[in-house]
């Protein structure tokens, strides 16, 4: 199998695991243990994306633990065929995913572009997620708002009728 096909296959395998709510410990198996890991997840229009850049295995584990604690993922779709570059050992993959808050059950969809870079063993060394839908859809900027006081009072009043 040529290098570009291997890179695409490795990217798609990681996407499948990510989108199926694979446990954080199992997601870590897709990442290099011999190179420092770079992770970044921010809106594409963020003026300072480097401020959301995390480095190292502990940061990666914390990222996946955070996602697993607060949200579940569903309806993941690759929007266009992954583009692989054998020279840089990277793949760009555009996709969308529906996030659901575990606490409230509220849902939204995030459209994103992943840029994944791999080591010689086809393990990820850089994982950059850029949210291309509105900045409010970036899971790393998500806020689970409580219904407004007036909405809660109205719901309570209707329920007591």
């Amino acid at each position: 199998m040529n290098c570009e096909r291997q890179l695409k296959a490795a990217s798609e395998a990681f996407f499948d695991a990510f989108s199926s709510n694979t446990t954080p410990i199992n997601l870590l198996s897709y990442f290099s243990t011999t190179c420092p890991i770079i992770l970044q997840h921010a809106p594409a229009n963020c003026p300072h994306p480097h401020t959301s850049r995390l480095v190292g295995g502990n940061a990666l584990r914390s990222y996946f633990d955070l996602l697993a604690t607060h949200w579940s993922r569903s309806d993941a779709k690759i929007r266009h065929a992954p583009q692989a570059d054998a020279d840089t050992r990277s793949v760009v993959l555009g996709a969308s995913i529906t996030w659901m808050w575990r606490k409230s059950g509220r849902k939204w969809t995030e459209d994103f572009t992943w840029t994944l870079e791999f080591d010689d063993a086809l393990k990820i060394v850089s994982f950059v997620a850029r949210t291309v839908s509105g900045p409010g859809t970036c899971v790393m900027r998500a806020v689970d708002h409580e219904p407004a006081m007036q909405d809660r009072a109205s719901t309570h009043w209707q329920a007591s009728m």
Side-chain angles (χ1 to χ4, degrees), residues 1 3-17 30 89 91 93 114 116 118-119 121-124:
M1 185 183 290
C3 184
E4 287 182 1
R5 273 192 262 155
Q6 289 176 325
L7 292 166
K8 286 179 185 180
S11 298
E12 289 168 350
F14 174 62
F15 180 81
D16 290 345
Y30 290 89
R89 301 193 61 77
V91 174
L93 180 147
W114 279 356
L116 305 171
F118 294 85
D119 65 12
L122 294 173
K123 298 292 185 174
I124 300 167

Side-chain angles (χ1 to χ4, degrees), residues 34-100:
T34 59
C35 298
I37 305 298
I38 296 171
L39 164 69
Q40 182 177 316
H41 192 150
N45 65 354
C46 180
H48 307 287
H50 61 280
T51 60
S52 65
R53 184 163 284 199
L54 306 170
V55 178
N58 288 337
L60 184 66
R61 174 64 188 262
S62 294
Y63 170 79
F64 289 130
D65 284 344
L66 179 73
L67 296 181
T69 298
H70 297 287
W71 303 281
S72 64
R73 302 177 289 276
S74 63
D75 299 325
K77 296 174 184 74
I78 294 177
R79 292 179 293 135
H80 58 78
Q83 301 297 309
D85 183 331
D87 293 332
T88 60
R89 301 193 61 77
S90 64
V91 174
V92 175
L93 180 147
S96 63
I97 198 160
T98 298
W99 296 97
M100 182 181 76

